[in-house]
Amino acid sequence: MLDANLESLLTLTQVDSNVFEGKSWDLGFRALFGGQVLGQALAAAAATVDTQRIAHSFHSYFVLPGDPSHSVVFQVENIRDGRSFSTRRVKAVQKNKTIFCMTASFQLPEVGLTHQQSSLPAVLAPDAVTPDIDFYEKIIDDLPSKMQQALKYHKVIDIRTIQEGDPIQPNTTDAHKYIWMRIKTPLAQNQVGQSLSPLGINQQMLAYASDYHFLATSLQPHNVSVRDKDLKIASIDHSMWFHQPIDFTQWVLYCTESPTSGGGRGLVKGQFFDQSGKLLASTMQEGLIRKGNT
């Protein structure tokens, strides 16, 4: 099994001009974890941009399910380098097929008009919330063997969901969720305080983490578990905007909400705050949520 180090996962190998390869983790899901492709694609794009420019947004589509037993090749196209902004298009390929595509934009840091309308909600502090992994370790004998083997990869991020009830056998609840997150291991390539570096490892890690429990928020009003064998759930698209420098070695609160679902799709949106209440990043995703043959 591969080393369970998120920074290592997001460190790509350059195989040609503007072509990079990333190894894969098998998290025990039905397909390759979407967050891995998000983080690695952003890393590939960042590797082709001037070192002073940082990512401010990306927009992406999941085209085919990825295979966690294979590495992923990222082909980066230079769309434009302007005076302030750079645009890159990234195609992720497995077995000669495109599984994912992203357009990412980078900007030279500048001072501008600033406001923040959103605020940190009043929730339990992270120290008062039980780590998600504790629940799964208690029921490890009841988990599929594939998931048992994958638990070490789920430990690289300390995830603490503020919720009531059993995530395996959920009750009907409102379509919102609050999750504390932080990386467990110190950063080697991009130390704390250097989140404006061209590699943007903190941004890439947050992109990875942004797909955790995200689409599942749209299932909460329907009393459906992500482990329901009749459920088909998959990300279709995913967008993210970075507002402030990120230090993912510190706690961030991921606030997710599903404003609507229908037609076999669920829409979710999210916001990341640091503990001081600063809005760090925003996310949006639409995904497939289909029960049985409907």
Side-chain angles (χ1 to χ4, degrees), residues 27 29 130-144 147-148 150-152 154-155 159 161 163 165-169 177 212-213 216 225-227:
L27 297 189
F29 300 147
T130 303
D132 288 14
I133 198 69
D134 288 4
F135 172 83
Y136 294 99
E137 287 182 331
K138 288 179 181 178
I139 63 166
I140 189 168
D141 292 337
D142 298 326
L143 296 175
M147 180 62 73
Q148 293 180 27
L151 277 188
K152 75 171 187 175
H154 293 276
K155 295 179 181 180
I159 298 176
T161 305
Q163 65 179 16
D166 185 338
I168 305 299
Q169 299 293 333
K177 192 188 299 286
Y212 253 111
H213 302 317
S225 168
V226 292
R227 293 186 62 197

Side-chain angles (χ1 to χ4, degrees), residues 44-54 81 86 88 106 198:
T48 70
V49 174
D50 183 271
T51 58
Q52 296 184 16
R53 302 192 178 204
I54 60 170
D81 283 319
S86 293
R88 298 292 185 268
F106 299 78

Side-chain angles (χ1 to χ4, degrees), residues 2-292:
L2 297 173
D3 180 41
N5 181 288
L6 184 53
E7 189 172 7
S8 176
L9 181 74
L10 296 172
T11 301
L12 309 179
T13 301
Q14 185 165 3
V15 296
D16 203 345
S17 176
N18 294 340
V19 180
F20 304 85
E21 185 173 12
K23 49 187 173 289
S24 295
W25 283 351
D26 188 342
L27 297 189
F29 300 147
R30 298 173 185 176
L32 184 67
F33 177 49
Q36 175 191 310
V37 189
L38 292 170
Q40 290 180 333
L42 186 60
T48 70
V49 174
D50 183 271
T51 58
Q52 296 184 16
R53 302 192 178 204
I54 60 170
H56 71 87
S57 70
F58 66 76
H59 306 273
S60 59
Y61 279 92
F62 295 90
V63 181
L64 290 171
D67 185 345
S69 66
H70 287 73
S71 62
V72 184
V73 173
F74 297 91
Q75 302 170 356
V76 183
E77 181 183 359
N78 184 339
I79 301 300
R80 179 177 181 268
D81 283 319
R83 287 185 297 176
S84 300
F85 292 87
S86 293
T87 306
R88 298 292 185 268
R89 183 179 295 133
V90 185
K91 183 167 66 173
V93 178
Q94 279 189 328
K95 305 174 187 176
N96 296 318
K97 292 184 178 180
T98 299
I99 64 168
F100 170 91
C101 54
M102 170 189 285
T103 301
S105 184
F106 299 78
Q107 181 187 13
L108 280 171
E110 62 180 81
V111 178
L113 300 174
T114 303
H115 79 275
Q116 179 178 316
Q117 187 71 29
S118 301
S119 58
L120 182 73
V123 297
L124 291 172
D127 290 344
V129 183
T130 303
D132 288 14
I133 198 69
D134 288 4
F135 172 83
Y136 294 99
E137 287 182 331
K138 288 179 181 178
I139 63 166
I140 189 168
D141 292 337
D142 298 326
L143 296 175
S145 58
K146 189 176 181 181
M147 180 62 73
Q148 293 180 27
Q149 297 171 7
L151 277 188
K152 75 171 187 175
Y153 296 126
H154 293 276
K155 295 179 181 180
V156 298
I157 301 176
D158 192 343
I159 298 176
R160 304 187 180 194
T161 305
I162 303 171
Q163 65 179 16
E164 296 181 359
D166 185 338
I168 305 299
Q169 299 293 333
N171 297 316
T172 300
T173 61
D174 292 338
H176 66 266
K177 192 188 299 286
Y178 302 107
I179 311 167
W180 287 108
M181 295 179 169
R182 69 176 176 183
I183 190 71
K184 284 188 174 181
T185 56
L187 302 183
Q189 295 183 11
N190 184 38
Q191 297 298 327
V192 173
Q194 294 180 325
S195 56
L196 295 183
S197 83
L199 295 178
I201 190 67
N202 284 286
Q203 290 183 328
Q204 295 154 27
M205 287 182 169
L206 202 69
Y208 176 97
S210 70
D211 202 33
Y212 253 111
H213 302 317
F214 198 20
L215 186 54
T217 309
S218 65
L219 299 177
Q220 291 179 193
H222 307 288
N223 194 25
V224 178
S225 168
V226 292
R227 293 186 62 197
D228 190 323
K229 294 182 179 179
D230 292 329
L231 174 70
K232 295 179 180 178
I233 179 170
S235 301
I236 297 173
D237 56 32
H238 190 111
S239 295
M240 193 164 185
W241 297 262
F242 299 101
H243 312 305
Q244 298 287 344
I246 297 155
D247 178 2
F248 203 31
T249 65
Q250 303 299 312
W251 288 112
V252 298
L253 181 68
Y254 195 18
C255 306
T256 68
E257 177 187 356
S258 177
T260 185
S261 68
R265 305 184 314 278
L267 181 70
V268 285
K269 62 181 182 178
Q271 294 179 309
F272 283 100
F273 295 90
D274 67 13
Q275 287 186 280
S276 73
K278 186 181 295 183
L279 181 62
L280 302 176
S282 301
T283 53
M284 290 286 291
Q285 183 180 112
E286 189 174 46
L288 175 73
I289 50 170
R290 181 181 292 156
K291 278 277 288 180

